[in-house]
Amino acid sequence: MAKITSKANQSQGMLMFTLTNSKQQFAIGTLKVREIIPFQTTTKIPYSHRDVIGAITTRGMTIPVINMPAAIGFRPIQPEEYESCYLIVTDCLRTVVAFMVRSIEKIVDCDWKSIEPAPKTTGSNAFITGITRIQDEMIQMLDVELLLSKIYPQYESTYIPMLTDVERERLKDLSILLVDDSSIARKQLSDALDGINISYQICENGVEALQLMKSEAEKGKPVELLVSDIEMPGLDGYELAFETQNEPSLSNSYVILHTSLSSEICVERAQQVGAHEALEKFNAADLIQAMLRGADLLEKGNLREDNAILA
């Protein structure tokens, strides 16, 4: 029986703060924030990154402190200014760190779907994921994951995919179904989505998945993103995709098949049965990007106009 295994239904606001003396406003999503505390004296960490000013101990944890303005390319906060600053303790990529900022402004509700993407001219290494306006003031959303990956490069290859707040919100409200007969594969899939706080349902085989999809459609809650293994007993991924696309009440699902079989054969057959993408197992980043492409087509309402099959 399918079950919801993620606890990703918390609401998210924006924590606004400043990094420079100009009072320019920046923000991060509140789901990443553990707490906000006044600056505490730090202890130096040998051989740490140049933007890590030291570590503090709070609530029984030793936490590195990152000079946030310096980390994103602004003038670093100077030691004589530390006492007037604040620390935003965050939990991101399963790592707890504290970001030192000049001031805390406020926490506000936000329509995440209204946030504009950062201009492409900012480049791939910019730390801005989106831009919004509050009371006619421009607020820049910071990409905490990208920032952490620059300070701790090992996180670039982690199995937890990198996702911005804007991207996460695009996936968060979608009905997602994961299907795989392998317990290990199910754990990989669920860990990937749990790691980025995205809710989902999960099934162990194609027969169970098809029954669930029909039941959800009858309740007016159709599955929008279907991620299925191909090699399954009873009803394999190809058959599940075919049944989904030939049932009017289910055909608005974006179907992603994933497999360890020959990619060339899989892509051709996946296209024949109406799947949108075929991916090789298991790359969490590739899977999330495929899901984002599906979310984009679902938002535009032109799901049937694009079968962007990838190997």
Side-chain angles (χ1 to χ4, degrees):
M1 182 174 179
K3 62 179 180 179
I4 297 176
T5 57
S6 174
K7 300 177 181 178
N9 296 316
Q10 303 173 54
S11 61
Q12 176 169 211
M14 287 196 321
L15 171 63
M16 296 166 52
F17 51 88
T18 64
L19 299 176
T20 67
N21 289 324
S22 67
K23 298 297 182 181
Q24 185 177 1
Q25 300 268 348
F26 294 89
I28 60 175
T30 53
L31 285 182
K32 294 187 178 76
V33 179
R34 279 196 167 198
E35 62 179 327
I36 302 165
I37 58 178
F39 178 81
Q40 297 181 14
T41 302
T42 60
T43 301
K44 288 287 187 182
I45 305 175
Y47 305 108
S48 59
H49 188 279
R50 64 180 180 276
D51 296 328
V52 176
I53 66 169
I56 60 169
T57 299
T58 181
R59 302 188 188 279
M61 295 181 65
T62 299
I63 301 172
V65 176
I66 298 170
N67 192 325
M68 195 178 220
I72 68 171
F74 288 159
R75 173 184 173 273
I77 299 174
Q78 301 302 307
E80 61 270 19
E81 302 173 295
Y82 289 175
E83 289 299 324
S84 64
C85 294
Y86 288 85
L87 302 179
I88 303 173
V89 180
T90 66
D91 190 345
C92 183
L93 295 178
R94 298 186 180 180
T95 302
V96 178
V97 302
F99 291 104
M100 181 170 60
V101 301
R102 290 190 179 275
S103 69
I104 300 294
E105 298 301 303
K106 56 187 174 182
I107 294 175
V108 297
D109 292 327
C110 178
D111 178 2
W112 287 81
K113 293 182 179 178
S114 70
I115 295 177
E116 302 173 8
K120 294 185 189 263
T121 51
T122 58
S124 59
N125 289 321
F127 295 101
I128 304 300
T129 65
I131 297 172
T132 189
R133 289 186 176 276
I134 296 178
Q135 297 178 344
D136 294 327
E137 185 168 3
M138 186 174 74
I139 311 298
Q140 299 183 62
M141 301 296 301
L142 287 179
D143 187 342
V144 175
E145 287 88 347
L146 178 59
L147 197 160
L148 282 176
S149 76
K150 299 302 181 184
I151 295 177
Y152 304 109
Q154 66 267 30
Y155 292 119
E156 291 183 345
S157 59
T158 183
Y159 72 91
I160 303 173
M162 305 256 300
L163 203 62
T164 68
D165 284 314
V166 176
E167 290 171 332
R168 183 179 293 107
E169 291 298 318
R170 291 177 63 200
L171 294 177
K172 185 176 175 182
D173 293 332
L174 294 180
S175 174
I176 299 170
L177 176 61
L178 311 176
V179 190
D180 206 302
D181 64 326
S182 164
S183 60
I184 294 175
R186 289 197 302 275
K187 186 176 188 306
Q188 287 178 320
L189 290 167
S190 59
D191 281 351
L193 295 192
D194 286 341
I196 54 175
N197 206 32
I198 298 297
S199 62
Y200 56 88
Q201 296 186 79
I202 193 163
C203 289
E204 297 182 3
N205 57 67
V207 173
E208 181 183 326
L210 187 60
Q211 292 173 345
L212 174 71
M213 292 181 73
K214 289 180 178 179
S215 174
E216 293 293 282
E218 289 174 359
K219 292 186 289 188
K221 302 175 182 178
V223 171
E224 294 163 296
L225 284 175
L226 171 64
V227 180
S228 176
D229 182 26
I230 289 179
E231 316 96 81
M232 295 185 297
L235 190 73
D236 68 20
Y238 293 131
E239 294 168 317
L240 177 59
F242 182 82
E243 292 291 336
T244 297
Q245 298 309 306
N246 281 276
E247 174 62 51
S249 64
L250 310 180
S251 61
N252 285 325
S253 297
Y254 191 84
V255 179
I256 302 168
L257 299 181
H258 63 109
T259 181
S260 55
L261 297 175
S262 167
S263 60
E264 184 176 342
I265 295 173
C266 288
V267 167
E268 182 178 354
R269 190 168 179 192
Q271 193 165 23
Q272 291 172 354
V273 298
H276 296 84
E277 306 207 28
L279 304 175
E280 293 183 353
K281 291 182 177 178
F282 176 74
N283 186 303
D286 287 349
L287 174 61
I288 297 303
Q289 288 305 310
M291 294 172 71
L292 285 168
R293 287 190 288 271
D296 183 60
L297 291 180
L298 286 164
E299 288 175 6
K300 293 177 180 176
N302 62 350
L303 199 59
R304 295 290 89 217
E305 296 179 15
D306 192 343
N307 271 27
I309 302 294
L310 301 181

